[in-house]
């Protein structure tokens, strides 16, 4: 069956392609509408597919980052500072005073750190004002580039509008900090190419947004820190961190995130520029989405991507260095020429984040990913919508073509449940892993599923229409119960043609010309008698599951094994032929009583692989079969005349039905136009129903046939002559006797025991 599908695939595509494309286009249009309107839960499905693809296919295999080291405020540091009397006295309880960070920054400078990003805020003055002054002194003396985080709050005082310049000019804050001076330090020049920056705001009540303003760091640090950036969580509607927006607005000024503030100095940027799908930061150009965002390539969990050093280790290293001792950091060059990101990792500190890789991870995980992606250029961006739409249409077309061509319930279920989503998932994963491109998944999944459902609905609708057509088309050829069984078993024939093995039946009235001459003065009676004959013969064939092919005058052509795929088609054909002969015998008796002419029927049966389907023209077509096997069945019907037999069957029919029938091997014949000889048989009865007298006749015939093939014609003639005296009505015996007597008198020049079956 699979080979048939591929053989007739082009024809099926031509016949059904408009309907397939219609289903695919409609499904894609509905899916696109739902995506654009946010219906059917597609945004949530998209996030789930993206997260799964990201964590499966976009894990980095490069190990720890060579450029970034994390200094963690972890639980060991909290415990270590609390349990160390000197540290507890100098730094106080957590959150520690700024003196601790002065020591940490001093040690990082000594270790050769390139720059420090403090993923936190320093906007609360210490109880002792000297602590932040000490930190400011260390930053000034060491010239270590330190970037501090800035938080926002709804009740913070708004900053005035300024014309930001980067790097900002030196500011003399003195004892206080003028709002305009603070704004010049915190704001950042951003060109948006006409697009609006996302606002610093939060949802206070459902449907109500509340604006946020920046909380400036303590005054001494405003002048000494290298830069400032937002450390607000950047989350999607479901609370997960997947992307960054790079810059935000409070409605007055623009502010960048902490990673951007640091990267701007590294790339010599004087402004942040959005242009189309590109972000430019000095010498660095990065791909972004049309709305200015970019999705993060986390590369894996925090501990898989970065070396993590506890704050406690740096404090201890500073203390040892004050005592003139060396630490292990120098030998390993842990911090030399590296970016250092300081942030909390202990539970309960800071604002935890949830990423596609894990829940409740340190909040700095996303900002670390942003920083690394800026330096590596490995942001993930969404594919243009038309690309995802084209992918969705392609999947919809594939689903429709596959399901509407094969029309297999098993394939329909497997494709719907096991193929569409994995296919989209693998495609998404490949685009993420190979191109860092987010190809939409929910849209093609929806289009593929809708197209599959549409194809299945079309299949079943078409099947119902086809079933109705089958009932109408085959009601003249088959018994209604067999048609309903064929439909119930979902074994509808492929009307566009298929090759299968079946058995062909041909019958004809012997001497029909003489028979019809008896009615030359009453043609209506001839029609009535012929209709009665055809009805009785056809009924016998239909009872055995035959499909009436056609009537050609008095001839009946019938197929067994199509359209219903009966495995015992040869046996059914033999039973039907014997039943038809029995009906003709009863009909002869009825005709004799009415004074009508006698009637005999000759039958030819052959089994072979034939091409079966609807054949004809646009005006008229019939379900029939074609092939050499059909021609041989017709020839066998006509050959009965030469052998004096009534039912002749071919070799394949005998092979398939031999356990169920009684036969006589008649001869080996060569059909006109063929070089190969075949053995033909006379069908006599069903197994066990042949009378003893006829069985003896057949036995003696076979003995004579063997002698004939050995060219012992006189001996064969003797056997046949003796048997013919006992069974004078046996036609094949008389025919073979005449042939043996002829060859006895006139031996053939070239004898191979094969008779030529002329047209």
């Amino acid at each position: 069956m699979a080979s048939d599908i591929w053989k007739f695939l082009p024809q099926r595509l031509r016949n059904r392609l408009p309907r397939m494309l219609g289903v695919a286009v409609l499904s894609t249009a509905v899916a696109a509408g739902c995506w654009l309107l946010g219906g059917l839960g597609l945004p949530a499905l998209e996030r789930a597919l993206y997260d799964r693809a990201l964590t499966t296919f976009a894990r980095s295999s490069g190990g720890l980052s060579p450029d970034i080291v994390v200094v963690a405020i972890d639980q060991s540091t909290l415990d270590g500072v609390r349990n160390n009397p000197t540290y507890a006295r100098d730094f106080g309880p957590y959150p520690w005073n700024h003196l601790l960070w002065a020591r940490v920054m001093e040690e990082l400078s000594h270790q050769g750190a390139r720059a420090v990003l403090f993923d936190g805020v320093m906007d609360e003055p210490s109880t002792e004002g000297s602590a932040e002054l000490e930190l400011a002194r260390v930053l000034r003396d060491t010239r270590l580039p330190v970037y501090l985080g800035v938080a926002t709050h709804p009740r913070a005082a708004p900053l005035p509008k300024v014309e930001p310049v980067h790097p900002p000019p030196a500011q003399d804050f003195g004892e206080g900090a003028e709002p305009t001076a603070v704004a010049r330090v915190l704001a950042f020049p951003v060109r948006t190419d006409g697009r609006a920056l996302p606002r610093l705001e939060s949802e206070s009540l459902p449907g109500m947004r509340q604006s946020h303003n920046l909380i400036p760091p303590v005054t001494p640090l405003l002048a000494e820190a290298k830069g400032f950036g937002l450390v607000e969580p950047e989350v999607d509607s479901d609370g997960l961190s997947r992307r960054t927006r790079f810059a935000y607005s409070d409605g007055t000024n623009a502010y960048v995130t902490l990673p951007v503030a640091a990267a701007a100095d590294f790339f010599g940027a004087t402004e942040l520029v959005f242009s189309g799908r590109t972000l430019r930061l000095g010498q660095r150009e990065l791909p972004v989405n049309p709305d200015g965002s970019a999705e993060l390539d986390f590369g894996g969990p925090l501990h898989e991507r970065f070396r993590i050093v506890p704050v406690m280790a740096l404090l201890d290293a500073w203390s040892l260095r004050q005592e003139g001792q060396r630490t292990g950091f120098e030998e390993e060059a842990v911090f030399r020429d590296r970016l250092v990101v300081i942030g909390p990792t202990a539970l309960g500190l800071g604002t935890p984040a949830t990423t596609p890789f894990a829940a409740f991870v340190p909040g700095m995980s996303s900002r670390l990913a942003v920083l690394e992606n800026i330096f590596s250029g490995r942001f993930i961006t969404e594919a243009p919508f038309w690309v995802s739409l084209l992918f969705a249409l392609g999947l919809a077309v594939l689903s429709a073509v596959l399901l509407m061509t094969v029309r297999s319930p098993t394939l329909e279920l497997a494709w719907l449940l096991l193929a569409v989503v994995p296919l989209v998932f693998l495609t998404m994963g490949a685009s993420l892993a190979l191109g860092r491109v987010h190809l939409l998944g929910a849209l093609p999944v929806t289009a593929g599923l809708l197209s599959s459902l549409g194809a299945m609905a079309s299949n079943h609708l078409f099947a119902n229409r086809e079933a109705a057509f089958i009932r109408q088309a085959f009601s003249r050829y088959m018994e209604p119960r067999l048609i309903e069984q064929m439909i119930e078993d979902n074994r509808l024939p492929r009307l566009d043609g298929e090759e299968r093995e079946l058995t062909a039946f041909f019958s004809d009235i012997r001497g029909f010309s003489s028979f019809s001459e008896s009615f030359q003065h009453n043609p209506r009676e001839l029609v009535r008698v012929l209709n009665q004959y055809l009805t009785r013969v056809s009924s016998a064939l239909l009872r055995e599951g035959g499909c009436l092919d056609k009537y050609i005058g008095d001839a009946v052509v019938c197929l067994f094994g199509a359209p219903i795929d009966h495995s015992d088609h040869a046996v059914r054909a033999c039973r039907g032929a014997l039943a038809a002969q029995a009906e003709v015998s009863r009909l002869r008796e009825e005709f004799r009583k009415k004074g009508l002419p006698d009637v005999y029927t000759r039958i030819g049966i052959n089994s072979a692989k034939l091409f079966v389907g609807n054949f004809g023209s646009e005006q008229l077509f019939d379900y029939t079969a074609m092939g050499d096997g059909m021609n041989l069945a017709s020839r066998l019907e006509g050959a009965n005349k030469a052998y004096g037999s009534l039912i002749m069957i071919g070799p394949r029919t005998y092979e398939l039905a031999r356990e169920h029938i009684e036969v006589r091997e008649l001869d080996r014949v060569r059909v006109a136009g063929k070089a190969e000889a075949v053995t033909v048989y006379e069908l006599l009865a069903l197994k066990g129903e042949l009378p003893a007298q006829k069985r003896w006749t057949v036995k003696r015939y076979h003995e004579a046939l063997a002698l004939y093939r050995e060219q012992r014609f006189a001996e064969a003639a003797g056997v046949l002559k003796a048997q013919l005296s006992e069974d004078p009505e046996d036609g094949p015996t008389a025919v073979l006797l005449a042939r043996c007597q002829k060859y006895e008198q006139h031996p053939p020049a070239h004898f191979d025991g094969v008779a030529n079956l002329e047209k």
Side-chain angles (χ1 to χ4, degrees), residues 691-704:
Q693 177 60 38
K694 183 59 70 174
R695 190 180 300 279
W696 174 252
T697 298
V698 171
K699 181 176 182 300
R700 298 291 286 168
Y701 182 91
H702 286 162
E703 292 175 4

Side-chain angles (χ1 to χ4, degrees), residues 11-32:
Q11 182 177 353
R12 291 191 178 186
L13 285 176
R14 285 194 301 270
N15 293 340
R16 301 172 190 169
L17 187 58
R19 186 167 5 127
M20 295 172 182
L21 293 179
V23 169
V25 170
L26 180 60
S27 300
T28 305
V30 172

Side-chain angles (χ1 to χ4, degrees), residues 530-742:
L530 186 58
N531 286 346
Q532 187 178 2
Y533 163 82
L534 292 175
T535 299
R536 299 278 283 271
V537 171
S538 299
S539 298
L541 299 175
L542 291 175
R543 283 193 295 270
E544 294 299 331
C547 171
L548 291 177
D549 183 337
K550 62 177 70 70
Y551 297 129
I552 308 173
D554 63 307
V556 179
V557 183
C558 187
L559 304 177
F560 291 84
I564 296 183
D565 189 13
H566 289 134
S567 59
D568 59 344
H569 52 85
V571 177
R572 288 173 177 268
C574 292
R575 286 203 304 256
L578 293 170
Q581 285 289 13
E583 282 293 336
V584 170
S585 296
R586 287 190 284 270
L587 196 60
R588 289 174 62 201
E589 182 63 25
E590 295 174 14
F591 283 2
R592 186 185 63 78
K593 290 179 180 180
K594 295 179 181 179
L596 296 175
D598 202 357
V599 60
Y600 288 90
T601 296
R602 291 191 292 243
I603 297 172
I605 299 174
N606 186 52
S607 303
K609 277 194 172 182
L610 301 172
F611 192 77
V612 60
N614 271 331
F615 299 95
S617 66
E618 293 182 358
Q619 292 77 24
L620 179 65
F621 59 87
D622 278 313
Y623 186 81
T624 186
M626 298 176 62
D628 286 344
M630 287 289 285
N631 297 334
L632 181 57
S634 176
R635 300 280 182 84
L636 294 179
E637 179 274 316
N640 281 293
K641 180 178 181 180
Y643 284 90
S645 55
L646 294 179
I647 307 175
M648 192 179 295
I649 66 175
R652 179 60 178 165
T653 304
Y654 172 69
E655 180 183 348
L656 294 174
R658 62 187 302 172
E659 302 300 325
H660 305 273
I661 56 176
E662 302 280 359
V663 300
R664 175 198 336 231
E665 180 181 344
L666 286 175
D667 204 353
R668 298 186 73 241
V669 300
R670 185 181 294 108
V671 180
K674 301 289 184 181
E676 183 182 359
V678 297
T679 304
V680 295
Y681 304 84
E682 180 187 18
L683 176 63
L684 299 171
L686 295 177
K687 180 67 75 174
E689 296 181 6
L690 188 64
Q693 177 60 38
K694 183 59 70 174
R695 190 180 300 279
W696 174 252
T697 298
V698 171
K699 181 176 182 300
R700 298 291 286 168
Y701 182 91
H702 286 162
E703 292 175 4
L705 184 63
L707 295 171
Y708 163 78
R709 288 172 176 167
E710 295 174 3
Q711 301 186 54
R712 297 159 64 181
F713 302 123
E715 297 177 50
V719 174
L720 293 168
K721 187 181 297 184
Q723 184 57 35
L724 191 61
S725 64
E726 297 181 14
D727 190 358
E729 298 298 323
D730 189 61
T733 298
V735 169
L736 185 58
L737 173 60
R739 195 189 302 171
C740 288
Q741 290 174 336
K742 173 184 173 182

Side-chain angles (χ1 to χ4, degrees), residues 114-440:
R114 186 178 180 184
V116 176
L117 280 73
F118 187 83
D119 192 72
V121 296
M122 294 187 180
D123 50 22
E124 290 288 339
S126 299
T127 54
E128 297 181 6
S130 59
E132 52 259 31
L133 293 176
E134 175 63 13
L135 176 56
R137 183 198 64 78
V138 169
L139 299 184
R140 183 172 57 253
D141 293 348
T142 61
R143 298 184 180 276
L144 176 66
V146 174
Y147 299 85
L148 299 181
V150 181
T152 67
H153 196 275
R155 292 196 292 272
L159 294 175
K161 182 175 180 59
V162 295
E163 290 297 329
V165 177
H166 188 80
Q171 303 286 327
D172 184 7
F173 292 100
E175 294 296 326
E178 291 295 328
T180 301
V182 172
R184 286 198 183 99
V185 172
L186 300 183
F188 198 96
V190 178
R191 281 199 290 135
T192 62
D193 195 23
R195 77 190 74 187
L197 290 175
R199 295 292 295 269
L200 290 168
E201 59 184 11
S202 62
E203 190 173 48
S204 56
L205 293 172
M208 295 183 63
R209 309 295 296 180
Q210 189 174 31
S211 296
H212 284 225
N213 297 304
L214 273 66
I215 306 173
V218 293
T219 302
L221 301 180
L222 282 170
E224 303 303 338
K226 181 67 172 175
F228 302 89
L230 298 169
V231 289
E232 297 291 297
E234 296 184 281
V235 297
D236 289 342
S237 58
D238 61 349
L240 265 71
S241 297
R242 297 185 182 88
R243 70 190 71 239
T244 182
R245 296 294 201 119
F246 301 103
Y248 290 80
S249 172
D250 62 357
T252 303
N253 298 310
Y255 307 94
V256 295
T257 60
L258 182 60
V260 175
D265 289 337
F266 281 95
F267 297 118
T270 58
E271 61 182 350
L272 179 66
V273 181
F274 291 98
S275 178
R277 293 178 65 96
T278 301
L279 178 150
R280 189 169 67 252
L281 193 63
Q283 303 169 357
R284 195 69 166 160
E285 285 194 356
L286 300 167
V288 295
N289 295 322
D291 65 352
S293 68
E295 289 148 294
L296 304 180
D297 180 7
F298 289 91
L302 188 67
H303 66 276
E304 292 182 5
R305 297 294 299 122
F306 305 100
R307 178 165 183 174
I308 301 176
V309 178
V311 171
M312 190 67 183
L314 284 170
L315 290 175
D316 290 343
W318 181 86
S319 298
L320 290 173
R321 194 162 52 81
Q322 301 309 306
E323 298 173 0
Q325 301 183 39
R326 294 181 59 81
T327 67
F329 292 132
E330 286 88 349
E331 287 77 6
E332 294 186 45
V334 174
F335 301 102
R336 187 169 305 279
D337 295 325
R338 289 183 172 87
L339 299 175
V340 178
V341 179
I342 301 175
T345 61
L347 292 175
L349 299 187
T351 303
T354 300
T355 72
F357 286 89
F360 302 108
V361 298
M364 66 175 172
S365 296
S366 297
R367 286 175 289 279
L368 274 166
V370 173
L371 185 64
E372 185 185 36
N373 289 175
I374 289 176
F375 280 90
S376 65
R378 288 170 60 87
F379 282 110
I380 297 169
T381 54
E382 293 178 358
F385 181 73
W386 67 266
V387 174
S388 295
L389 187 64
L390 192 62
F391 175 43
L393 178 61
L395 182 60
V397 170
L398 176 62
S399 300
V401 168
L402 185 64
L403 298 185
M404 294 173 72
T405 299
V406 180
R407 292 177 56 197
S408 164
T410 302
L411 178 63
E412 289 177 352
L413 187 63
W415 182 261
L416 192 63
L417 298 181
L418 303 177
V420 174
V421 175
L423 185 60
V424 172
F425 179 70
L426 290 174
T427 306
M428 287 183 69
S431 67
L432 286 173
L434 301 177
R436 294 295 181 262
V437 173
H438 175 188
L439 187 68
L440 293 181

